[in-house]
Amino acid sequence: MAVKSYIDAVRDTLMDEMRRDPRVFVMGEDVGKRGGVFRATMGLIEEFGEERVIDTPLAESAIVGVGIGSALAGLRPVAEIQFADFIWPAMNQIISEAARLRYRSNGDWTVPLVIRAPYGGGVHGGLYHSQSVEAHFYHSPGLKIVMPSTPYDVAGLLRAAIRDEDPVMFLEHKRLYRLIKGEVPDDDYVLPIGKAEVKRQGADLTVISYGLALHFCLEAADVLAQEGISAHVIDLRSIKPLDRETILEGVRKTGKVLIVHEDNKFGGVGAEVSAMIAEEALFDLDAPIARLAGPEIPAMPYAPNLERFYMLSPEKVADAMRKLAAF
Amino acid sequence: MAVKSYIDAVRDTLMDEMRRDPRVFVMGEDVGKRGGVFRATMGLIEEFGEERVIDTPLAESAIVGVGIGSALAGLRPVAEIQFADFIWPAMNQIISEAARLRYRSNGDWTVPLVIRAPYGGGVHGGLYHSQSVEAHFYHSPGLKIVMPSTPYDVAGLLRAAIRDEDPVMFLEHKRLYRLIKGEVPDDDYVLPIGKAEVKRQGADLTVISYGLALHFCLEAADVLAQEGISAHVIDLRSIKPLDRETILEGVRKTGKVLIVHEDNKFGGVGAEVSAMIAEEALFDLDAPIARLAGPEIPAMPYAPNLERFYMLSPEKVADAMRKLAAF
Amino acid sequence: MAARHNRPQSLRHRDIGLSDEQVREMYYYILLGRALDERMWLLNRAGKVPFVISGQGQEAAQVGSAFGLDRDRDIVLPYYRDMTMVLAWGQTPTEAMLGSFAREGEPSSGARQMPGHWGSKRLRIVSGSSPVATQVPHAVGLALAARMRGESSVAWVSLGEGSTNQGDFHEALNFAGVHKLPVVVFVENNKYAISVPESRQIACSHVAERAASYGMPGVLVDGNDMLAVYEAVRGAAERARAGEGPTLVEAECYRLVPHSSDDDDRSYRSREEVEEARKRDPVAVAASYVREAGVLSEEEDAALRERIRREVDEATEAAEQAPQPSPDTALRNVYAEGGAGAWQ
Amino acid sequence: MAARHNRPQSLRHRDIGLSDEQVREMYYYILLGRALDERMWLLNRAGKVPFVISGQGQEAAQVGSAFGLDRDRDIVLPYYRDMTMVLAWGQTPTEAMLGSFAREGEPSSGARQMPGHWGSKRLRIVSGSSPVATQVPHAVGLALAARMRGESSVAWVSLGEGSTNQGDFHEALNFAGVHKLPVVVFVENNKYAISVPESRQIACSHVAERAASYGMPGVLVDGNDMLAVYEAVRGAAERARAGEGPTLVEAECYRLVPHSSDDDDRSYRSREEVEEARKRDPVAVAASYVREAGVLSEEEDAALRERIRREVDEATEAAEQAPQPSPDTALRNVYAEGGAGAWQ
Ligand SMILES: Cc1ncc(C[n+]2csc(CCOP(=O)(O)OP(=O)(O)O)c2C)c(N)n1
Ligand SMILES: Cc1ncc(C[n+]2csc(CCOP(=O)(O)OP(=O)(O)O)c2C)c(N)n1
Ligand SMILES: [Mg+2]
Ligand SMILES: [Mg+2]
């Protein structure tokens, strides 16, 4: 079993899937000779040529829209949006078209499209290269949204996304690209979309997170363990669908819930997770449902200390955990 | 005091504001001679001419983007999106530009822009003329979102929106346009954005809603009153910012909360309302926080009985209220 | 620009490779489209169908397109006014009427969409939506797929002139131009976008001029003349099939009726203007062509119209008697079925 | 298309109405922009500033633009490579350096934005964002406002050639064309959009051709020649001020350095190609013009360069010594302040 970085897991899985299935191809800005601005498609054009590794014009709505067309024809496009921040011009194609073609044709036409996009901050990206975009999409039935936190999950879930019959947004935290390494089996394993994972069993409080923040939660849990506080940590992995069972089980186990995400709080993913718990497990709670998230500002500023102000950290998470444990 | 329909309140307020302030103008598709497809701008071109009542080309991103530009110059544009369903091409201009110009220029440049859009179903509009769009925008700091339910609120809040220094989305439920009439004072009153209204005092359960659904809630509350159940009914009016005090006061009063909206439930406005309550008033609750909302399908279908299946009704609301009251 | 023909009309269709039989068939679809459309308005005014969006004035452009393509392999992405196009492409009058009545068995969407949102995978008609111009990048993607697979099919996509102002039009045509993909972009210029006339909508004088931006030919054609459209679309499709890339075709028409059954056009255009346009009504133009070309006698014409009246009656009756789709079908086909029904 | 001049160079600037002093000023800004830009790369390589996005190769186009406009009333919407433009428009080297170091007092955004996102209401420089082409409709809106108020200001907006493929470019230019608004759309065609060359990006041969789609003139100009650009932009601005509507100007340049400090351009273009382009480096072109035209002696040139070196040093020092903005300022200016801080 190889140890890989998060981004290598992306690239190797793309490569494997393109070898396995001639219908799979990638398209996006600078994905060809440049191998992507993050190098997630490096080496693909050399192996598969310009026909299956398409440098598109600079036009996101066309990237998604042309991707949809090719998916309607039965291909398996993997469209890259260079930064998640630049996905908005494609909003209409994603929400009104990709998410709705199966429904509006009563099952006749389908869109097996993957939209990959690097998201997230802590990379000196400023207002337009740091955003989290999941909450703007998770309200749209017809879409699936996957946000892996480890190389293992990247490989298993990207494979699942490419083989899925419906449009999947595959959001990669760009700070994780080279920060995180992990074991990735060489075989062709597929992880189910819609399943969270308990990353750590615990008894005192339940922490629910995903992406980069999940790693902060795990670090904080280590610290708290030394203080005698035992945290149950769940990695959502899929934002849509959410894994109701794993969440409710976690709630029942500890009676205290902290939801953690980098994205701002108001209307973020934590809102739905919390509301679901408040609807289905209210009497299992021993404390208010807490959310720790980004501040209510339009996006993450550039200056290092402003960025730090915005970003979560293991320390901020540990503080919130202590507070909740002490409740 | 005149009795007016909801849409007349829109039109008359636009007319008043254009008379009052030469910086105010309207732009959008068919707003000129046609007076808007719903007639919300009828008569304006006759009074104010083509320079202040601008029929734009069919291009929503330009409608909002040009509106932003004119607001940057110090004008007070009111941009109409013909149906809220067609707002997505303008998503980038709304989220990345309008909502963020003040922040990104550290207060130097500002965008006093109003975006009006008819939304909502029950009008035989099918998948693309029935949608609620608020939840796709309420997660974006920098925006305000207003969703009035009565002619009185339309006039007071549209005035507030036009006079606001920041971008405001003004969402009008199109089923209410001619369904609802009400008294509208002739004077120049302004209602504050961000204030909910208690429409009915009650002791047994608290119902929180907005738009067309609010009227269903009031009807249902009448029915339940006859059954001896007393409902406290809150009209949010503003979705962003939300009125924390009025909501928490309502929660404390009855200990039972039902949130009702036409938009689908997952990640809808009810999610944040519920999460806020679960965070700040958990121990005031005597029952799980209930949400009654549209089903998890991409949008409202056209065939009358499919549309009925999607839409809320006083009966559906009354059932949910009875269930919660009996908890 | 399409060449102007000066030869005697009676030879025109043979000159461009159409048999008498084909011309009769084209004429049949033009009449059928118009008759069905007119019936829908009657049903609307009688309170039987809630909404009509009409193709009156655009029938020749649509039939010319259908015949200019290869109906056995090409893929079409029609817009909401293209009823005559989809009839010529294989949908039946009853299917269209099921859309108007929003009844069970409606093939395009299961009565989920408003009338005019055509679709059928079997017939290679891609399901359309209401936001305009979104179909153009889809067509480009279908063309890309055809090229990647070495198939020789062409993607034909239509839209109104106002809709060419959308960003999606620009982005898609540029993509097609850069990659020289087999697409025919067909603009049905009916001079209005709801109430807004072409002059307030489009800054250049002809939509066809926009082709230059995308390195492709732009062809302007008389949309009231089914033969001229046929020739232009066939030429564009041949070009595409030969690997020479996309073409933008603009068919000049006129929207003879209001935008939809919810519109009243009197506030924004004069009756005189509409009457003037009626002189070039494509139905009349086609009728006089078939008569003068001698491919259909007066009696045959009458019989054809009678047959169409019956077909329209039957379609109306069949659709009116069909049940509504059952309410719980509203929950179906959000995702591939059989999968885990998790919390969304 | 811009006229080609065959007269002796030494007369050119006077022929087009520029004084010797103005030409010296233009040259100064070209040198200043280049020097500041080069310093930023050094600081980046030394680990002192996290990011550089460069205008090297586009200085003449930018200075020509600034001088072709009316710096006392026109409004500009520059894009991220336009440092030389904003210097010529009134920002100081220190202000630009504050952006690179992301320090307190940075005037465009309070160090919230990455470097290159210019803005200053006082100077009529509209705050820019990173998603490309969004500024084009803003420019059209500013022009609309100017017209509505009877002001004679012109809005100048720039973007890269790749960015002309965005829907916003199309929608905005059409709007400007229909309403004949006073806008100059200035495309700095540096031949690459990150790694993608013009030929894979744009289906037509010149961006200027796109103007035809919008009923406006398209002007192609040598972007390495400050005088040619000056003339083209001044002409477009005069046209706009005279109420004749918008113009699209394309300045042909070459991006002499990688896309940004995060890029390595060796994988997608040859060193030979870059070397070839350096022969037309706008700094060299301007230097030989001022020399040959006799507006600046060798000694004066050396003195000027020395002065610029000092200015760049001072700017660097001032910015490096400025503090970071205080963290709690991150919460400011989301909405107008003083209003109710309700739950968002
Ligand atoms: C993105 C979008 N905006 C607005 C509308 C509302 N709308 C429906 S049809 C129409 C006019 C379309 O005009 P044109 O493209 O000329 O086509 P026509 O209807 O004339 O055939 C408008 C504005 C829409 N469907 N989609
Ligand atoms: C909407 C959007 N998509 C993608 C990007 C990422 N990006 C930044 S610059 C750039 C290339 C721009 O090329 P061009 O317009 O030619 O301008 P240049 O950088 O060459 O001056 C890209 C793709 C972006 N900023 N905005
Ligand atoms: Mg039209
Ligand atoms: Mg470029």
Side-chain angles (χ1 to χ4, degrees), chain D residues 160-162 188-193:
Chain D
E161 81 290 353
E188 300 183 27
N189 183 348
N190 62 10
K191 307 295 174 191
Y192 283 87

Side-chain angles (χ1 to χ4, degrees), chain C:
Chain C
M1 304 289 153
R4 304 272 169 217
H5 297 261
N6 297 316
R7 300 212 193 180
Q9 275 220 338
S10 57
L11 293 176
R12 271 184 67 214
H13 69 276
R14 293 200 196 140
D15 287 351
I16 58 176
L18 285 168
S19 69
D20 291 3
E21 182 49 36
Q22 281 173 307
V23 169
R24 275 192 292 271
E25 230 191 306
M26 290 173 83
Y27 178 59
Y28 161 74
Y29 282 116
I30 287 177
L31 290 182
L32 176 64
R34 176 63 59 89
L36 203 52
D37 193 302
E38 287 174 343
R39 180 66 58 88
M40 286 167 176
W41 281 90
L42 289 177
L43 291 165
N44 174 264
R45 293 319 185 209
K48 292 198 171 186
V49 311
F51 184 74
V52 182
I53 187 125
S54 193
Q56 291 189 35
Q58 299 171 221
E59 294 91 345
Q62 296 174 19
V63 169
S65 280
F67 280 73
L69 297 166
D70 182 339
R71 282 178 285 171
D72 292 323
R73 56 178 163 165
D74 291 338
I75 299 159
V76 294
L77 297 93
Y79 89 121
Y80 45 84
R81 297 202 193 278
D82 278 329
M83 181 166 72
T84 305
M85 167 60 170
V86 300
L87 291 170
W89 203 259
Q91 281 216 359
T92 67
T94 301
E95 289 175 326
M97 270 296 178
L98 285 167
S100 288
F101 281 94
R103 295 294 158 85
E104 192 177 284
E106 189 274 312
S108 299
S109 74
R112 289 167 173 195
Q113 293 222 69
M114 296 181 86
H117 292 66
W118 320 105
S120 164
K121 197 163 185 174
R122 185 178 55 83
L123 295 173
R124 286 159 285 102
I125 301 172
V126 176
S127 163
S129 65
S130 311
V132 299
T134 52
Q135 67 274 27
V136 191
H138 302 173
V140 176
L142 284 147
L144 178 70
R147 221 236 332 250
M148 283 170 77
R149 286 169 162 159
E151 291 166 3
S152 62
S153 61
V154 168
W156 174 95
V157 59
S158 65
L159 69 163
E161 81 291 352
S163 302
T164 69
N165 291 325
Q166 286 282 332
D168 269 7
F169 172 85
H170 178 66
E171 296 192 6
L173 267 73
N174 184 60
F175 196 116
V178 167
H179 289 274
K180 293 220 165 298
L181 297 173
V183 195
V184 179
V185 179
F186 189 74
V187 175
E188 302 183 25
N189 183 349
N190 61 12
K191 307 296 173 190
Y192 283 87
I194 307 188
S195 71
V196 180
E198 195 184 1
S199 60
R200 299 290 283 178
Q201 188 66 254
I202 291 168
C204 51
S205 14
H206 292 287
V207 174
E209 294 169 10
R210 301 202 146 161
S213 238
Y214 315 113
M216 61 177 80
V219 179
L220 179 66
V221 68
D222 177 357
N224 294 322
D225 178 348
M226 63 183 183
L227 299 183
V229 175
Y230 163 80
E231 211 184 347
V233 170
R234 199 194 52 184
E238 277 169 4
R239 234 189 126 248
R241 245 184 277 283
E244 291 162 32
T247 303
L248 174 63
V249 181
E250 173 186 7
E252 284 199 283
C253 311
Y254 188 86
R255 198 192 73 208
L256 294 170
V257 292
H259 171 71
S260 76
S261 54
D262 290 344
D263 184 31
D264 177 352
D265 59 348
R266 285 169 301 183
S267 64
Y268 57 80
R269 61 181 184 183
S270 72
R271 294 309 86 191
E272 293 68 41
E273 180 189 308
V274 179
E275 278 322 306
E276 189 57 35
R278 282 205 179 278
K279 294 186 184 151
R280 293 279 303 148
D281 182 331
V283 173
V285 173
S288 63
Y289 182 81
V290 292
R291 185 71 42 80
E292 284 161 29
V295 301
L296 204 73
S297 70
E298 199 164 327
E299 296 69 45
E300 285 167 328
D301 194 354
L304 186 63
R305 288 170 190 261
E306 176 53 26
R307 173 185 147 202
I308 285 170
R309 210 189 43 70
R310 260 196 332 274
E311 288 174 348
V312 173
D313 284 348
E314 283 162 18
T316 308
E317 207 159 317
E320 196 165 4
Q321 275 162 20
Q324 285 202 45
S326 125
D328 56 308
T329 65
L331 297 175
R332 302 284 308 277
N333 288 314
V334 178
Y335 296 99
E337 296 188 346
W343 168 40
Q344 292 157 357

Side-chain angles (χ1 to χ4, degrees), chain B residues 51 59 61-62 65-66 69-70 73 75 92-93 97 102-106 108-109 142-143 166 240-242 272 276, chain D residues 108-109 112-113 120-121 125 127-129 134 137-138 141-142 145 148-149 168 171 330 332-333 335-336 342-344:
Chain B
E51 284 276 309
S61 189
V66 173
S70 69
L75 297 183
N92 197 32
Q93 285 291 345
E97 302 296 325
R102 179 188 290 278
Y103 190 76
R104 81 170 181 233
S105 66
N106 203 15
D108 197 21
W109 289 98
L143 289 181
D166 289 300
K240 188 173 187 73
L242 278 166
E272 179 59 36
M276 188 277 283
Chain D
S108 300
S109 75
R112 289 167 174 197
Q113 293 222 69
S120 164
K121 196 162 184 174
I125 300 172
S127 162
S129 65
T134 52
H138 302 173
L142 284 147
M148 283 170 76
R149 287 169 161 159
D168 269 6
E171 296 192 4
R332 302 282 310 275
N333 288 315
Y335 296 99
W343 168 39
Q344 292 160 355

Side-chain angles (χ1 to χ4, degrees), chain A residues 175 179 209 211-222 260 262 311-315 317-318 321:
Chain A
R175 178 85 181 91
L179 185 72
S209 190
L212 175 63
L214 184 268
H215 295 277
F216 297 160
C217 295
L218 290 174
E219 280 188 54
D222 280 345
V260 182
E262 182 179 315
M311 284 295 286
L312 297 176
S313 66
E315 296 68 38
V317 176
M321 284 168 68

Side-chain angles (χ1 to χ4, degrees), chain D residues 65-86:
Chain D
S65 280
F67 279 73
L69 297 167
D70 182 338
R71 282 179 283 170
D72 292 323
R73 56 177 163 167
D74 291 338
I75 300 159
V76 295
L77 298 93
Y79 89 122
Y80 46 84
R81 297 202 192 279
D82 279 329
M83 183 166 70
T84 304
M85 165 61 170
V86 299

Side-chain angles (χ1 to χ4, degrees), chain A residues 159-221:
Chain A
R159 230 171 253 130
I162 292 172
R163 300 181 191 182
D164 202 282
E165 299 298 328
D166 289 300
V168 180
M169 299 186 61
F170 194 86
L171 303 178
E172 302 159 10
H173 199 295
K174 65 178 95 73
R175 178 85 181 91
L176 292 176
Y177 273 155
R178 291 182 167 82
L179 185 72
I180 291 290
K181 290 194 164 43
E183 296 203 326
V184 180
D186 296 325
D187 68 359
D188 197 39
Y189 70 102
V190 174
L191 294 173
I193 293 174
K195 286 278 160 242
E197 190 189 7
V198 177
K199 300 296 271 194
R200 183 183 178 120
Q201 295 280 350
D204 297 327
L205 81 168
T206 297
V207 182
I208 301 171
S209 190
Y210 56 92
L212 175 63
L214 184 268
H215 295 277
F216 297 160
C217 295
L218 290 174
E219 280 188 54

